[in-house]
């Protein structure tokens, strides 16, 4: 048999998830001129790009320009997109194993972390991830309803997602209408009664996870004053020592400088205010059938002996009336049937991207992970480029070492494209396209996505907007048909 990775016997790779980690992996795999690699990329949505489409805030269009790079990858020979295909529903992980030498899991972290406090599930208390998906027109969230009628909203967490949601609640209609925010969200946000957005950090200003540009932006909102009580900026000894030390992260130091400047500002009397509070943890969300108030516990900071500065409850309490709570304390991954999963950490166990069995720690040949489902929800989009390179280098090393699972026949033969089918599964003589057709999965090709993209952009043009996003799967599938009509 010709060598694996040769033109006669290309390396067949399935990538599950089409966000940045998936696309960077595809690019690293396909740009090698000495190897022939075919990539089939699966996404449960008809649209690619993961959090670049459904996570990045609509008022941050420049961040989305990375899509130009992903488009170049998608244009490479040997790349195929299978949108609207959910691995675990339309095709089982085992069935991918049977058809590809390597499967890379790049499906991110779909759910949110929980606070674990009473009242967390009251109507009006939402995971920030839900709110983000809703304003970004994710089809699963189009019918969500957020009660924005109360004058105060509370955002829990001091990360960039918290900054995004606080800013989105503060943006005026005129600014929302220049973005690709979902139409339903523009209407709700622009007519909202929220006047004050309180952002709670459980630790101090020196420990906030925001990056500097995101903090700065909170002080540049056209219709919202930024407010920090100067008393909040009185640092504890451990934080002060950290900020003065050589170990101090420059981002934290700069954040504290920006917060200090904010705390010296006189409010300009804008229509809204964003209030940053530190050492403040929610301990209970109260209300009769819906959120009416939040009980905040005052924390003090201490050095834990291992170099970390942690928060502990002082017992002091304060109750704030509010109608909306957005819990922004991080994302969490969920498991996929047939793939090892570490539920405690919310990720796929792996070593340098090679998936390992949870109990034995042994590598599962041909299985890899990348992005947030590999390392947890941290870093910016670009972080995934290096992360993807590490995983792809593991694939190249396994290819060279000859440990990549063999397919039964040269994969170029469409009749026999996979290795041994698992018990009870469809036989490998069925191609992935045939298998999906048998399951009734209406898969969207990259051409189909380009038709959706063109329709969205065209709809936005008369309104001076980058695009008007479809919010429903059936609308997307319908728009994708324009590609078939050509
Ligand atoms: P994150 O950066 O990890 O921030 C999570 C925040 O939640 C931290 O402030 C954390 O505080 C707090 N938290 C965790 N558990 C808590 C609890 N039980 N009670 C109160 N607070 C709690 O997560 P994220 O904001 O979801 O962002 C995820 C990643 O995406 C980050 O790497 C972020 O930079 C990135 N992102 C980037 C952008 C951008 O570049 N513009 C936009 C959005 C997201 P502690 O520090 O005390 O744990």
């Amino acid at each position: 048999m010709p060598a694996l990775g040769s033109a006669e016997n290309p390396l067949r790779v399935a990538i599950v998830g089409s966000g940045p980690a998936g696309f960077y992996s595809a690019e690293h795999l396909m740009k090698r001129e000495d190897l022939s690699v075919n990539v089939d990329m699966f996404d449960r949505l008809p649209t690619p790009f993961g959090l670049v489409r459904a996570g990045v805030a609509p008022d941050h269009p420049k961040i989305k320009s990375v899509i130009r790079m992903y488009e170049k990858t998608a244009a490479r020979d040997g790349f195929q997109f299978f949108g609207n295909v959910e691995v675990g529903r339309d095709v089982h992980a085992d069935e991918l194993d049977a058809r590809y030498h390597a499967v890379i899991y790049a499906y991110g972290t779909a759910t949110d972390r929980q606070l674990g406090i009473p009242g967390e599930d009251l109507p009006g208390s939402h995971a920030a991830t839900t709110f983000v998906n809703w304003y970004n027109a994710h089809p699963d969230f189009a019918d969500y309803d957020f009660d924005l009628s109360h004058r105060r909203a509370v955002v829990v967490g001091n990360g960039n997602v918290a900054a995004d949601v606080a800013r989105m609640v503060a943006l005026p209609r005129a600014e929302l209408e220049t973005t690709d925010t979902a139409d339903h969200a523009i209407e709700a946000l622009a007519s909202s009664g929220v006047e004050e957005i309180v952002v709670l950090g459980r630790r101090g200003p020196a420990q906030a996870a925001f990056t500097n540009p995101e903090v700065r932006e909170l002080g540049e909102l056209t219709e919202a004053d930024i407010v920090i009580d100067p008393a909040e900026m009185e640092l504890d000894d451990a934080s002060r020592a950290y900020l003065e030390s050589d170990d101090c992260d420059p981002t934290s130091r700069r954040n504290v400088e920006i917060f200090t400047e904010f705390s010296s500002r006189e409010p300009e009397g804008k229509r809204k205010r964003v209030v940053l509070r530190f050492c403040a943890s929610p301990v209970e969300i109260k209300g009769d059938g819906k959120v009416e108030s939040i009980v905040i516990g005052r924390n003090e900071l201490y050095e834990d002996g291992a170099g970390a500065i942690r928060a502990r409850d002082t017992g002091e309490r304060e109750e704030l009336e509010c109608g909306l709570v957005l819990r922004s304390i991080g994302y969490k991954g969920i498991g996929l049937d047939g793939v090892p999963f570490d539920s405690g950490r919310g990720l796929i166990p792996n070593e340098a991207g090679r998936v390992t069995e949870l109990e034995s720690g042994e590598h599962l040949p041909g299985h890899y992970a990348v992005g947030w489902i590999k390392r947890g929800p941290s870093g910016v989009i670009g972080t995934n480029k290096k992360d993807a390179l590490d995983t792809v280098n593991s694939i190249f090393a396994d290819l060279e070492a000859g440990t990549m699972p063999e397919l039964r026949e040269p994969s170029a033969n469409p009749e026999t494209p996979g290795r041994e089918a698992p018990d009870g599964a469809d036989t490998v003589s069925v191609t992935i396209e045939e298998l999906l057709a048998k399951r009734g999965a209406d898969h969207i090709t990259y051409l189909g996505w380009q038709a959706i993209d063109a329709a969205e952009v065209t709809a936005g043009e008369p309104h001076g907007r980058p695009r008007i996003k479809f919010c429903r799967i059936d609308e997307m599938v319908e728009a994708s048909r324009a590609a078939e009509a050509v």
Side-chain angles (χ1 to χ4, degrees):
M1 189 184 296
L4 189 54
S6 63
E8 301 74 34
N9 187 17
L11 181 71
R12 292 174 50 83
V13 182
I15 300 182
V16 181
S18 67
F23 265 101
Y24 289 127
S25 300
E27 180 61 21
H28 290 312
L29 281 165
M30 299 182 85
K31 74 178 178 199
R32 275 231 350 218
E33 285 171 5
D34 58 330
L35 270 186
S36 190
V37 183
N38 290 345
V39 169
D40 286 356
M41 183 180 277
F42 296 83
D43 201 292
R44 72 182 193 87
L45 291 181
T47 53
F49 312 139
L51 283 181
V52 180
R53 181 176 163 98
V56 171
D59 64 332
H60 280 171
K62 275 195 199 142
I63 296 183
K64 300 187 194 212
S65 59
V66 288
I67 285 176
R68 301 286 158 264
M69 300 303 298
Y70 308 155
E71 284 170 340
K72 287 187 184 151
T73 302
R76 286 187 180 275
D77 278 347
F79 177 93
Q80 289 197 94
F81 179 61
F82 291 85
N84 205 24
V85 175
E86 185 169 337
V87 176
R89 180 194 64 188
D90 301 312
V91 55
H92 192 270
D94 282 354
E95 292 166 330
L96 294 182
D97 294 352
R99 289 166 177 82
Y100 299 91
H101 300 101
V103 182
I104 305 179
Y105 292 100
Y107 63 85
T109 49
T111 188
D112 60 295
R113 293 181 55 213
Q114 299 279 300
L115 281 167
I117 61 169
E120 182 164 15
D121 297 323
L122 272 176
S125 163
H126 307 270
T129 51
T130 304
F131 191 65
V132 170
N133 279 315
W134 169 75
Y135 65 58
N136 274 326
H138 190 299
D140 293 354
F141 298 83
D143 295 320
Y144 270 65
D145 202 11
F146 293 90
D147 183 356
L148 295 157
S149 61
H150 195 282
R151 61 170 291 275
R152 182 180 291 123
V154 174
V155 177
V156 182
N158 265 187
N160 284 337
V161 172
D164 282 351
V165 299
R167 212 177 55 251
M168 285 299 289
V169 175
L171 287 187
R173 180 186 288 274
E175 286 174 40
L176 290 166
E177 281 181 348
T178 60
T179 70
D180 63 7
T181 306
D183 282 349
H184 54 245
I186 294 183
E187 217 28 67
L189 291 168
S191 54
S192 116
V194 177
E195 292 168 6
E196 182 172 282
I197 303 134
V198 178
V199 182
L200 303 179
R202 69 172 163 183
R203 295 189 289 162
Q207 291 80 36
F210 305 123
T211 45
N212 303 149
E214 280 64 28
V215 177
R216 240 181 252 115
E217 268 181 305
L218 292 175
E220 293 164 355
L221 295 166
T222 50
E223 290 203 6
D225 283 316
I226 182 79
V227 177
I228 301 181
D229 183 338
E232 300 264 4
M233 295 306 299
E234 284 166 18
L235 298 180
D236 58 290
D237 291 345
S239 296
R240 208 171 310 114
Y242 171 69
L243 287 169
E244 284 165 9
S245 74
D246 292 341
D247 297 340
C248 180
D249 168 16
T251 299
S252 303
R253 194 175 279 144
R254 187 74 195 111
N255 274 349
V256 172
E257 288 167 7
I258 304 169
F259 293 141
T260 305
E261 189 272 312
F262 287 171
S263 71
S264 71
R265 287 192 192 178
E266 276 300 317
E268 293 175 34
K270 293 178 180 174
R271 226 162 50 81
K272 296 183 184 180
R273 6 186 297 142
V274 174
V275 181
L276 302 189
R277 301 279 309 268
F278 297 106
C279 293
S281 279
V283 292
E284 184 175 358
I285 300 172
K286 289 186 174 174
D288 184 6
K290 67 178 171 69
V291 171
E292 291 171 356
S293 68
I294 185 163
V295 181
I296 298 168
R298 181 91 200 145
N299 296 329
E300 61 184 6
L301 300 181
Y302 67 100
E303 210 269 329
D304 69 358
I309 297 176
R310 298 191 185 277
R312 76 178 152 221
D313 188 3
T314 62
E316 200 181 314
R317 298 285 180 267
E318 172 191 2
E319 191 166 342
L320 274 188
E321 277 184 19
C322 62
L324 178 71
V325 175
L326 297 173
R327 307 177 317 260
S328 182
I329 62 164
Y331 289 74
K332 198 168 181 208
I334 44 185
L336 191 60
D337 196 19
V339 182
F341 188 67
D342 181 340
S343 52
R345 298 167 69 208
L347 43 80
I348 296 178
N350 70 91
E351 276 171 21
R354 292 182 180 94
V355 175
T356 54
E357 293 280 14
L358 199 53
E359 297 293 310
S360 66
E362 273 177 33
H363 294 164
L364 271 182
H367 292 244
Y368 303 87
V370 72
W372 280 7
I373 198 63
K374 167 189 176 187
R375 66 173 201 276
S378 65
V380 293
I381 292 170
T383 312
N384 295 297
K385 200 168 181 177
K386 165 76 171 61
D387 186 71
L389 183 62
D390 292 343
T391 291
V392 168
N393 279 340
S394 293
I395 295 179
F396 290 150
D398 293 347
L399 183 63
E400 219 161 277
T403 56
M404 201 61 84
E406 294 270 328
L407 299 187
R408 286 186 313 166
E409 297 285 333
S411 55
N413 180 349
E415 286 307 306
T416 51
R419 58 179 185 257
E420 205 66 56
D423 283 350
D426 286 88
T427 69
V428 287
S429 62
V430 175
T431 65
I432 190 74
E433 287 88 350
E434 287 165 344
L435 181 67
L436 293 174
K438 262 175 67 175
R439 303 270 157 87
D442 213 347
H443 90 260
I444 306 289
T445 62
Y446 201 76
L447 220 54
W449 151 245
Q450 286 173 318
I452 297 171
D453 184 34
E456 288 187 341
V457 170
T458 304
E461 268 165 12
H463 307 281
R465 296 176 59 189
R467 67 179 61 240
I468 295 179
K469 287 177 171 175
F470 292 114
C471 302
R472 310 266 166 208
I473 302 271
D474 54 358
E475 291 170 351
M476 298 177 194
V477 173
E478 180 63 29
S480 76
R481 303 270 183 251
E484 287 163 21
V486 177

